[in-house]
Amino acid sequence: MASSGKSSSAATSKKGTAMAGANDAAKAASEDGSTTAAKPAIRIAGVTKRYRRVAQSHKFLTLKSAFVGGNLFKLLNPNEVFTALDGVDLEIQPGETFGLIGANGAGKSTLMKLVAGTTKPTEGSVAVNGKISALIELGAGFHPEISGRENVYINGIMLGLSREEIEARFDDIVAFAELEEFIDAPVKNYSSGMYMRLGFSVAIHVDPDILVIDEVLAVGDEAFVHKCLDKIGEFKRRGKTILLVTHGVDTVRRLCDRAAWVDRGKVKALGDPMRVVDRYLNWVGEQEESELARVEKQRVASAGEVAGTDAHIEIAEEAPETGEEAPYEPGRWGNQAARIEGVRFLDEASQAGHVFATGDEMTIEIAWSAAAEVNDFVFGLGLFNANGVSCYGTNTDLERFKGDALKGEGKALIHVPSLDLVGGTYYLDVAVHSRDGRPYDYHRGLYSFRVHSRYGDVGVARLGHSWEFTGGVRWKQLGGIESERDPDLARGDDA
Amino acid sequence: MWHSLSRLLQHRLLIRTLVQRELTARYRGSVLGFLWTFIHPLMLLGVYTFVFTYVMPARAEGLSPYPLYLFCGLLPWTWFGSSLPEAANSLLMGGNLIKKIIFPAEVLPVVSVVHNGVNFILGLPIYAVFWVWFRPESISIHLLWLPLVILVQALFTLGLGFFLAAVTVHYRDVKDLLANLLTLWFFGSPVIYSYTFLAETDPEGIAARLLELNPMTHIIEAYHTSMFTGEMLHWRRFGVTAIVAVLTFVVGYYFFDRLRDSFVEEV
């Protein structure tokens, strides 16, 4: 299987050994009756992987009992078990580009290590059908003291090539890595980019049937990433199987035929990459929602303790304005003649939340109270992005409201019909103050929400816009918010 | 286990390449380069020669010239004594390889033992020059035993190397323990003194009895007979030692094989 079609016996035995673990698994799989015509390239059946942790104190005991009791294998009895994968079934067909997404610690990398054969499943079986090359860590095994040339040979042999095969591909490897001038310099003098390029180049020139890529595209400069993507595209065209593990949902959407979302060791969604990515992003939104809510609660609580003290006098002079140069520290101050009791972000269904998408409807609800009547008052708000840059700010005074009386309690609602912000986290300043800027209650950066954008557009805010073209322009696929809202339009490519 | 042992043979190319890398990379950028390998044994040679010739002259007959005798035992001991700590550490040092790529872990301790073995072999011609110069009369047919002696030592060292490598992954204490143990072991092996002399003068003494239990005693003695005195091996002792060496190798590898799956997680 792995080495079929190779005539050199040295080469075959070499490859056979590098693959031996996977081959065994493949044999085992075919024995339990899966001798169908189209064999999957990767077959993961009921795989559970548990990691065992042996605590240090426990270790000492086991070491002692290992020597006293003489049972050396029992010594590794776990006293803590972590289940990284829990009954995962996946089949990846030959020629398929398969994306694996999920949060950190979801089990993606474990799954990939199982496929690559660096670890074995606790339960279940992993069958790999074909020669595999894993781009898990580029340049793993490079020795810093020796030259790039020698490292290419050693690395190639580690990845299962024979000396002759490396010789034949050597020039391509060096050319792809763009290291012609430096190939005889010791690797320790390479920049990290050069190191990585060489690692990638060796791994990809192993010419595998199955290529496993873990997040390696995240590093490297733009030009090299493009080159790698081209190479991956070439693999795809040649009908090779690719397993891509990544956080980059865009990469999955762009490259993959199918995708799976893994969370806490289980496959949560499987199938069309668009749908899988959507479900994943929804889940990410929910996670962020609860996280933002938790942090906000904390912030408001700790700011509330400071409020009402005399500290407001000095702070008030500092900068109720935006104070661009000052570090953006959350806080609360004011004399409490009027109070802000809370702020909520409401969506179009008036549900409070913290995660919104570009273009969503949003209402900022400010709950206020005033024990005694206040006659000179202004409601204001300021919106800051994560860098502390003011994106927008306004108040009732600027917009020509003239305050007359404020007493009891109530709400101030600011309606935003379309949240035209780019993706990111935003912080809100809200305040009630007098017309000359004396704060009654100033909440700085206590409230935050997150905006998701389906586009990587940048800037301080998103200008409402649409594209229009004249002349000989034809698009394979239409983009923009309009088509996003009408999926049929976007997917009707080649039209 | 036999299956994976046979795989070890198939990794020849990998082992050879890594040994070459060790040999070339280690002393790259140093002026004396590979000669450094001999500085330490030569220093020991000087010190012991001084001590046992001038400070407290050795009473044993037949060890002359003493520096040559010392050299004869010190060479194989250096191989043994530097292989074990390296082998014990090999899985930790090569952690990246086992973790990140499909890599046969057993190759790493083998590389440690083999590359130190290459240094040993390279030291033999230097020894031969002195031998021919100072004791030409003791060169005999028994020199032909040398390859067998080397093989037995290799198996014994490999077995211990596998065992130590696997254990060190779980108990890092082994490294420190081993450094101390090897010092003891050195003095418990007939490198700076003569076992034959001890065994003949006081065969029932506690020293002779303890030394007899040490496989390295008989391995070093075998070097002495084939390369220094030019006598026949002590068959019985060496035969038992050879069996012990094979058993050590098999048990060490078995142990390594059993713990193999834990390496990736613990390294």
Side-chain angles (χ1 to χ4, degrees), chain A residues 211-365:
Chain A
L211 186 64
V212 177
I213 306 173
D214 181 17
E215 213 59 83
V216 290
L217 296 175
V219 278
D221 65 12
E222 203 69 3
F224 192 70
V225 168
H226 286 156
K227 209 165 156 181
C228 296
L229 288 175
D230 283 351
K231 193 78 186 175
I232 292 169
E234 184 197 317
F235 264 71
K236 235 181 123 155
R237 280 194 299 282
R238 281 163 54 198
K240 310 264 184 182
T241 313
I242 302 171
L243 175 59
L244 192 67
V245 179
T246 181
H247 295 289
V249 290
D250 280 336
T251 319
V252 172
R253 274 196 282 237
R254 203 157 10 127
L255 287 176
C256 295
D257 304 314
R258 281 202 307 150
W261 161 38
V262 183
D263 183 45
R264 269 166 253 168
K266 291 197 157 135
V267 176
K268 284 286 180 81
L270 174 71
D272 175 64
M274 296 288 175
R275 285 178 214 286
V276 172
V277 164
D278 278 350
R279 285 196 53 187
Y280 171 61
L281 288 181
N282 272 341
W283 175 83
V284 169
E286 285 164 23
Q287 294 297 108
E288 284 176 347
E289 172 70 52
S290 55
E291 174 65 13
L292 284 175
R294 191 182 64 78
V295 172
E296 182 173 295
K297 216 169 153 188
Q298 252 174 26
R299 255 197 324 249
V300 172
S302 64
E305 290 160 18
V306 189
T309 66
D310 287 337
H312 68 272
I313 299 164
E314 28 187 315
I315 308 170
E317 279 171 19
E318 190 186 286
E321 317 296 316
T322 49
E324 275 101 4
E325 298 306 317
Y328 190 80
E329 286 287 331
R332 180 179 181 181
W333 56 82
N335 63 13
Q336 308 289 314
R339 288 169 60 91
I340 290 169
E341 303 292 349
V343 173
R344 296 199 300 163
F345 304 103
L346 308 176
D347 65 9
E348 51 192 5
S350 294
Q351 293 293 310
H354 292 88
V355 179
F356 295 83
T358 295
D360 275 3
E361 195 181 318
M362 183 208 236
T363 299
I364 302 168
E365 178 197 88

Side-chain angles (χ1 to χ4, degrees), chain A residues 142-149 151 179 181-198, chain B residues 28-29:
Chain A
F142 277 179
H143 193 295
E145 292 289 338
I146 60 180
S147 71
R149 179 185 302 275
N151 270 310
L179 284 173
E181 291 171 60
F182 307 107
I183 195 64
D184 286 311
V187 163
K188 66 175 174 186
N189 295 343
Y190 282 21
S191 71
S192 53
M194 289 158 81
Y195 194 92
M196 204 208 55
R197 291 208 302 266
L198 193 61
Chain B
R28 185 151 296 185

Side-chain angles (χ1 to χ4, degrees), chain B residues 51-62:
Chain B
V51 170
F52 291 108
T53 316
Y54 299 107
V55 182
M56 32 190 283
R59 47 195 174 124
E61 295 295 311

Side-chain angles (χ1 to χ4, degrees), chain B residues 94-116:
Chain B
N96 235 4
L97 296 179
I98 319 175
K99 260 194 164 128
K100 307 290 184 187
I101 58 180
I102 310 155
F103 191 88
E106 62 265 52
V107 163
L108 293 172
V110 173
V111 167
S112 307
V113 175
V114 171
H115 103 82
N116 281 296

Side-chain angles (χ1 to χ4, degrees), chain B residues 2 13 20 48 100-101 161 174 191 210 218 227-228 244 246:
Chain B
W2 300 117
L13 178 63
Q20 271 169 7
Y48 288 123
K100 307 290 184 187
I101 58 180
V174 172
V191 177
L210 274 178
H218 308 296
M227 310 204 294
F228 185 77
V244 169
V246 171

Side-chain angles (χ1 to χ4, degrees), chain A residues 13-14 17-18 20 24 49-53 59 62-63 72-73 75-76 113 116-120 132 134 136-137 140-143 145-147 150 154 157-159 161-163, chain B residues 3 7 10-11 13-14 16-18 20-22 24-26 28-29 96-104 163 167 169-173 254-255 258-262 264-266:
Chain A
S13 73
K14 181 69 219 131
T17 54
D24 292 348
K49 176 76 187 176
R50 288 189 202 96
Y51 286 106
R52 309 175 302 178
R53 290 271 161 272
K59 256 192 169 177
T62 49
L63 181 63
L72 284 162
F73 296 113
L75 98 185
L76 292 168
K113 279 183 197 153
T118 55
T119 66
K120 286 179 184 153
I132 189 165
I136 303 179
E137 177 141 323
F142 277 179
H143 193 295
E145 292 289 338
I146 60 180
S147 71
E150 290 163 289
I154 294 171
I157 287 168
M158 285 180 190
L159 296 175
L161 290 177
S162 71
R163 200 158 264 279
Chain B
H3 169 70
R7 256 165 59 196
Q10 293 167 349
H11 292 309
L13 178 63
L14 188 55
R16 206 176 67 205
T17 319
L18 289 175
Q20 271 169 7
R21 182 184 84 172
E22 278 307 309
T24 53
R26 170 155 307 187
R28 185 151 296 185
N96 235 4
L97 296 179
I98 319 175
K99 260 194 164 128
K100 307 290 184 187
I101 58 180
I102 310 155
F103 191 88
F163 177 81
V167 175
V169 170
H170 294 283
Y171 301 104
R172 312 279 152 109
D173 322 52
Y254 174 76
F255 189 80
R258 281 287 302 263
L259 287 180
R260 175 191 301 276
D261 293 339
S262 65
V264 177
E265 287 153 37
E266 290 288 334

